[in-house]
Coordinates of all heavy atoms in Angstrom, one line a residue:
A1 N -0.4 1.4 -12.6 CA 0.5 0.4 -12.1 C 0.2 0.1 -10.6 O 0.2 -1.1 -10.3 CB 1.9 0.7 -12.4
D2 N 0.0 1.1 -9.9 CA -0.2 0.9 -8.4 C -1.5 0.1 -8.2 O -1.6 -0.7 -7.3 CB -0.3 2.2 -7.6 CG 1.0 3.0 -7.8 OD1 2.1 2.3 -7.9 OD2 1.0 4.2 -7.7
L3 N -2.5 0.5 -9.0 CA -3.8 -0.1 -8.9 C -3.7 -1.6 -9.3 O -4.3 -2.4 -8.7 CB -4.8 0.6 -9.8 CG -6.2 0.1 -9.8 CD1 -6.9 0.2 -8.5 CD2 -7.0 0.8 -10.9
I4 N -3.0 -1.9 -10.4 CA -2.9 -3.3 -10.9 C -2.1 -4.1 -9.8 O -2.5 -5.3 -9.5 CB -2.3 -3.3 -12.3 CG1 -3.3 -2.7 -13.3 CG2 -1.8 -4.7 -12.6 CD1 -2.7 -2.5 -14.6
V5 N -1.0 -3.5 -9.3 CA -0.2 -4.3 -8.4 C -1.0 -4.5 -7.0 O -0.9 -5.5 -6.4 CB 1.1 -3.6 -8.1 CG1 1.9 -4.1 -6.9 CG2 2.0 -3.7 -9.3
L6 N -1.7 -3.5 -6.6 CA -2.5 -3.6 -5.4 C -3.6 -4.7 -5.5 O -3.7 -5.5 -4.6 CB -3.2 -2.3 -5.1 CG -4.0 -2.2 -3.8 CD1 -3.1 -2.5 -2.6 CD2 -4.7 -0.9 -3.6
T7 N -4.3 -4.8 -6.6 CA -5.3 -5.8 -6.7 C -4.7 -7.2 -7.0 O -5.2 -8.2 -6.6 CB -6.2 -5.5 -7.9 OG1 -5.5 -5.2 -9.0 CG2 -7.0 -4.2 -7.5
S8 N -3.5 -7.2 -7.7 CA -2.9 -8.5 -7.9 C -2.2 -9.1 -6.7 O -1.9 -10.3 -6.7 CB -1.9 -8.4 -9.1 OG -0.9 -7.5 -8.8
L9 N -1.9 -8.2 -5.7 CA -1.4 -8.7 -4.5 C -2.3 -9.7 -3.7 O -1.9 -10.5 -2.9 CB -0.9 -7.6 -3.6 CG 0.4 -6.9 -3.9 CD1 0.6 -5.7 -3.1 CD2 1.5 -7.8 -3.9
S10 N -3.6 -9.6 -4.1 CA -4.6 -10.5 -3.5 C -4.3 -12.0 -3.9 O -4.8 -12.9 -3.2 CB -6.0 -10.1 -3.8 OG -6.2 -10.3 -5.2
A11 N -3.6 -12.2 -4.9 CA -3.2 -13.6 -5.2 C -2.2 -14.2 -4.2 O -2.1 -15.4 -4.0 CB -2.6 -13.7 -6.6
W12 N -1.5 -13.3 -3.6 CA -0.4 -13.8 -2.6 C -0.8 -13.8 -1.1 O -0.3 -14.4 -0.3 CB 0.8 -13.0 -2.8 CG 1.5 -13.0 -4.1 CD1 1.4 -12.0 -5.0 CD2 2.3 -14.0 -4.6 NE1 2.0 -12.4 -6.1 CE2 2.7 -13.5 -5.9 CE3 2.8 -15.1 -4.1 CZ2 3.4 -14.3 -6.7 CZ3 3.6 -15.9 -4.9 CH2 4.0 -15.5 -6.2
I13 N -1.9 -12.9 -0.9 CA -2.3 -12.7 0.5 C -3.7 -13.3 0.7 O -4.5 -13.2 -0.2 CB -2.3 -11.2 0.8 CG1 -0.9 -10.6 0.7 CG2 -2.9 -10.9 2.2 CD1 -0.8 -9.2 0.8
D14 N -3.9 -13.9 1.9 CA -5.2 -14.5 2.1 C -6.2 -13.4 2.2 O -6.0 -12.3 2.5 CB -5.0 -15.2 3.5 CG -6.2 -16.1 3.8 OD1 -6.8 -16.5 2.9 OD2 -6.5 -16.3 5.0
V15 N -7.4 -13.8 1.9 CA -8.6 -12.9 1.9 C -8.8 -12.2 3.2 O -9.1 -11.0 3.2 CB -9.9 -13.7 1.4 CG1 -11.0 -12.7 1.4 CG2 -9.6 -14.3 0.1
S16 N -8.6 -12.8 4.3 CA -8.8 -12.2 5.6 C -7.8 -11.2 5.9 O -8.0 -10.3 6.8 CB -8.8 -13.4 6.7 OG -7.6 -13.9 6.8
K17 N -6.6 -11.2 5.2 CA -5.6 -10.2 5.6 C -5.7 -8.9 4.5 O -4.9 -8.1 4.7 CB -4.2 -10.8 5.4 CG -3.9 -11.8 6.4 CD -2.5 -12.3 6.3 CE -2.2 -13.3 7.4 NZ -0.7 -13.8 7.3
L18 N -6.7 -9.0 3.6 CA -6.8 -7.8 2.7 C -7.1 -6.5 3.4 O -6.4 -5.5 3.0 CB -7.7 -8.2 1.6 CG -7.2 -9.1 0.5 CD1 -8.3 -9.4 -0.5 CD2 -6.0 -8.6 -0.2
P19 N -8.0 -6.4 4.3 CA -8.1 -5.2 5.0 C -6.9 -4.7 5.7 O -6.6 -3.5 5.7 CB -9.3 -5.4 6.0 CG -10.0 -6.6 5.4 CD -9.0 -7.5 4.7
A20 N -6.1 -5.6 6.3 CA -4.9 -5.2 6.9 C -3.9 -4.7 5.8 O -3.1 -3.9 6.2 CB -4.3 -6.4 7.7
L21 N -3.9 -5.3 4.6 CA -3.0 -4.8 3.6 C -3.3 -3.4 3.3 O -2.4 -2.6 3.1 CB -3.1 -5.8 2.4 CG -2.4 -5.2 1.1 CD1 -0.9 -5.4 1.3 CD2 -2.8 -6.0 -0.1
F22 N -4.6 -3.0 3.1 CA -5.0 -1.7 2.7 C -4.6 -0.8 3.8 O -4.2 0.3 3.5 CB -6.5 -1.7 2.5 CG -6.9 -2.4 1.3 CD1 -8.2 -3.1 1.3 CD2 -6.1 -2.6 0.1 CE1 -8.6 -3.8 0.2 CE2 -6.5 -3.3 -1.0 CZ -7.8 -4.0 -1.0
L23 N -4.9 -1.1 5.0 CA -4.5 -0.3 6.2 C -3.0 -0.1 6.3 O -2.5 1.1 6.5 CB -5.0 -0.9 7.5 CG -4.8 -0.1 8.8 CD1 -5.6 1.2 8.6 CD2 -5.3 -0.9 10.0
L24 N -2.2 -1.1 6.2 CA -0.8 -1.0 6.2 C -0.2 -0.2 5.0 O 0.7 0.5 5.2 CB -0.2 -2.4 6.2 CG 1.3 -2.5 6.6 CD1 1.6 -1.9 7.9 CD2 1.7 -4.1 6.6
C25 N -0.7 -0.3 3.9 CA -0.3 0.5 2.7 C -0.6 1.9 3.0 O 0.3 2.7 2.7 CB -1.1 0.0 1.4 SG -0.5 -1.5 0.7
G26 N -1.8 2.2 3.4 CA -2.0 3.6 3.8 C -1.1 4.2 4.9 O -0.6 5.3 4.8
T27 N -0.9 3.4 5.9 CA 0.0 3.8 7.0 C 1.4 4.0 6.6 O 2.0 5.1 6.9 CB -0.1 2.9 8.2 OG1 -1.5 2.6 8.6 CG2 0.8 3.3 9.4
L28 N 2.0 3.1 5.8 CA 3.3 3.2 5.3 C 3.4 4.3 4.3 O 4.5 5.0 4.2 CB 3.8 1.9 4.6 CG 4.0 0.7 5.7 CD1 4.3 -0.6 4.9 CD2 5.1 1.1 6.6
G29 N 2.4 4.6 3.5 CA 2.4 5.6 2.5 C 2.4 7.0 3.3 O 3.1 7.9 2.8
I30 N 1.6 7.2 4.3 CA 1.7 8.4 5.1 C 3.1 8.6 5.6 O 3.6 9.7 5.7 CB 0.6 8.4 6.1 CG1 -0.8 8.6 5.5 CG2 0.8 9.5 7.1 CD1 -1.9 8.3 6.4
L31 N 3.7 7.5 6.2 CA 5.0 7.6 6.9 C 6.0 8.0 5.8 O 6.9 8.9 6.1 CB 5.4 6.3 7.5 CG 4.6 6.0 8.8 CD1 5.0 4.7 9.3 CD2 5.0 7.1 9.9
A32 N 5.9 7.4 4.6 CA 6.9 7.8 3.6 C 6.7 9.2 3.1 O 7.8 9.8 2.8 CB 6.7 6.7 2.4
T33 N 5.5 9.6 3.0 CA 5.3 11.0 2.7 C 5.9 12.0 3.7 O 6.5 13.0 3.3 CB 3.8 11.3 2.4 OG1 3.3 10.4 1.4 CG2 3.6 12.7 2.0
V34 N 5.7 11.7 4.9 CA 6.2 12.6 6.0 C 7.7 12.5 6.0 O 8.5 13.6 6.1 CB 5.6 12.1 7.3 CG1 6.3 12.8 8.5 CG2 4.1 12.5 7.4
V35 N 8.3 11.3 5.9 CA 9.8 11.2 5.9 C 10.4 11.9 4.6 O 11.4 12.6 4.8 CB 10.2 9.8 6.0 CG1 11.7 9.5 5.7 CG2 9.8 9.2 7.4
L36 N 9.8 11.6 3.4 CA 10.4 12.2 2.3 C 10.1 13.5 2.0 O 10.8 14.2 1.2 CB 10.1 11.2 1.1 CG 10.5 9.8 1.1 CD1 9.9 9.0 -0.1 CD2 12.0 9.8 1.0
K37 N 9.0 14.1 2.6 CA 8.6 15.4 2.4 C 8.4 15.8 1.0 O 8.6 16.9 0.5 CB 9.5 16.4 3.0 CG 9.7 16.2 4.5 CD 10.7 17.1 5.1 CE 10.8 16.8 6.6 NZ 11.9 17.6 7.2
N38 N 7.8 14.9 0.2 CA 7.4 15.1 -1.2 C 5.8 14.9 -1.4 O 5.2 14.2 -0.7 CB 8.1 14.1 -2.1 CG 9.6 14.3 -2.3 OD1 10.1 15.4 -2.1 ND2 10.3 13.3 -2.6
K39 N 5.4 15.6 -2.3 CA 4.0 15.5 -2.7 C 3.7 14.2 -3.4 O 2.7 13.6 -3.4 CB 3.4 16.7 -3.4 CG 3.4 17.9 -2.5 CD 2.7 19.1 -3.2 CE 2.5 20.3 -2.3 NZ 1.8 21.3 -2.9
R40 N 4.7 13.8 -4.3 CA 4.7 12.7 -5.1 C 5.8 11.8 -4.7 O 7.0 12.3 -4.7 CB 4.7 13.0 -6.6 CG 3.4 13.8 -7.0 CD 3.4 14.1 -8.5 NE 3.6 12.9 -9.3 CZ 2.6 12.2 -9.8 NH1 1.3 12.7 -9.7 NH2 2.8 11.2 -10.7
F41 N 5.6 10.5 -4.6 CA 6.7 9.5 -4.4 C 6.2 8.2 -5.0 O 5.0 8.0 -5.1 CB 7.1 9.5 -3.0 CG 6.1 8.6 -2.2 CD1 6.3 7.3 -1.9 CD2 5.0 9.2 -1.6 CE1 5.4 6.6 -1.1 CE2 4.1 8.5 -0.9 CZ 4.3 7.2 -0.6

């Protein structure tokens, strides 16, 4: 589901912003993991 949503978000976001989307997803994911202190979220 994450994979499908991640790729389908390219319909809403301009092509030039896709690398920023991947970087922001990773950064927010790391922050969420640190804040929630869970291995899975």
Side-chain angles (χ1 to χ4, degrees):
D2 297 331
L3 179 65
I4 291 170
V5 169
L6 180 62
T7 57
S8 63
L9 283 173
S10 64
W12 299 98
I13 295 175
D14 191 29
V15 178
S16 63
K17 291 184 179 180
L18 284 178
L21 174 69
F22 297 143
L23 183 65
L24 192 58
C25 283
T27 305
L28 291 175
I30 290 170
L31 288 174
T33 303
V34 169
V35 169
L36 296 175
K37 297 180 182 170
N38 286 338
K39 290 185 178 183
R40 292 181 59 95
F41 76 96

